[in-house]
Amino acid sequence: MKRSVNVACVQAEPVVFDRDATLDKLAAVTAEAAREGAELVVFPETFVSVYPSSAWAKALAGWDEPGARPAFALLADSGVEVPGPAAERLGEIARENGVWLVTGVNELEPARNGTVYNTLLYHAPDGSLPLRHRKLVPTNHERLVWGQGDGGGLRAIDTSLGRIGGLICFENYMPLARFSLYESGVEIYLAPTADDADEWQATLVHIARESRAYLVSPCHFQRTSAYPADFPLAGLLAGRDLLGRGGSAILAPDGSYLAGPLYGEEGILYAELDASRLREQRQRFDPAGHYHRPDVLRLTVTPNQRT
């Protein structure tokens, strides 16, 4: 980072299973953040158009579970093909607002659209897509929904704001995945998540201190009321209110909070990231620099399993 950067960490609820309406909401929120001076706007894990809550996704394990297959089809149908019109619209939103836009999506490949991936899309202010990261290992019930990602997004990219990269939710517990980001010089570390547990905050503090990077972690916020009345697994949501309470936060390289955590409501967290503070914290510990021993320890990353 060569200068201070203004960032926005979005905690918002998608229009569940409605891709176009969710993109409309994303456009409005991004425009609001841009008006407040944000240069980087980050949305939660699979914001477009639903995070598959364990409250209902567990039903996908049932071979003859009524409603399971239609529920999966709804999730896939509201996803984002890359390349495709929805991905192009995300690029247009980034370009119209002059921001870096990072969005969690349920991703499908146009030519092989039977498998859904949990993906982060990085759109530049010119509307291009310089980085796509697919979650390496879906967690627990998520394995009933998403395929395994590859190593193509395990790096930080150089931007006018600094070097930006990230991991999704529980992949942040994978030490080698984190180190791949560190070794590529990450300065603004993104950790979109669906983990709203108190313990997740301890994880954020540790990663900020370990990476000596700024950390932006938008968490999904989801209410039962956001689901359509004809959702095939609606019975599993009966009596529930919050399916995801949030917990979004922005942290400094020493693990202190710049904004958040935010719980129980939608909102946008803002922070100014000071480049000098980044350098100050790396004086004593730089995980891929003077506190690294590449002569003793070395990481090899296979970028893509298939193209």
Side-chain angles (χ1 to χ4, degrees), residues 33-259:
R35 287 193 298 270
E36 293 296 324
E39 301 166 273
L40 168 65
V41 183
V42 189
F43 281 82
E45 179 176 10
T46 61
F47 179 73
V48 187
S49 296
V50 67
Y51 174 79
S53 168
S54 60
W56 61 265
K58 61 187 178 183
L60 301 183
W63 191 257
D64 294 315
E65 181 73 28
R69 281 175 289 185
F72 176 83
L74 277 175
L75 181 144
D77 288 342
S78 65
V80 174
E81 289 189 344
V82 182
E88 290 175 5
R89 182 159 187 221
L90 288 169
E92 291 169 2
I93 294 168
R95 184 172 59 252
E96 290 167 358
N97 292 283
V99 299
W100 277 90
L101 176 64
V102 182
T103 313
V105 304
N106 289 302
E107 183 210 348
L108 298 98
E109 296 176 301
R112 294 180 290 244
N113 62 9
T115 297
V116 184
Y117 298 94
N118 179 338
T119 300
L120 279 184
L121 300 179
Y122 293 67
H123 284 94
D126 64 1
S128 63
L129 180 65
L131 188 65
R132 172 179 61 179
H133 169 61
R134 289 174 170 172
K135 191 173 188 178
L136 292 171
V137 182
T139 303
N140 200 43
H141 65 284
E142 296 174 355
R143 300 189 187 200
L144 302 168
V145 180
W146 296 313
Q148 291 193 323
D150 56 41
L154 287 179
R155 58 189 175 90
I157 55 173
D158 197 17
T159 76
S160 61
L161 309 182
R163 296 192 65 81
I164 302 172
L167 299 173
I168 304 167
C169 203
F170 263 38
E171 358 174 67
N172 286 285
Y173 290 124
M174 300 173 73
L176 297 183
R178 292 200 309 272
F179 187 72
S180 183
L181 293 183
Y182 303 164
E183 201 165 41
S184 62
V186 66
E187 295 172 315
I188 304 175
Y189 186 119
L190 311 182
T193 188
D195 190 342
D196 60 0
D198 293 339
E199 292 80 6
W200 178 251
Q201 299 302 319
T203 297
L204 297 182
V205 172
H206 170 78
I207 292 173
R209 290 176 58 83
E210 181 180 71
S211 65
R212 288 305 201 263
Y214 284 103
L215 194 153
V216 182
S217 180
C219 187
H220 93 122
F221 177 74
Q222 192 177 124
R223 293 168 291 195
T224 299
S225 59
Y227 281 76
D230 59 353
F231 175 50
L233 296 174
L236 297 177
L237 304 182
R240 294 176 178 266
D241 179 17
L242 280 177
L243 299 177
R245 65 176 183 144
S248 301
I250 305 173
L251 284 77
D254 62 356
S256 62
Y257 283 84
L258 298 176

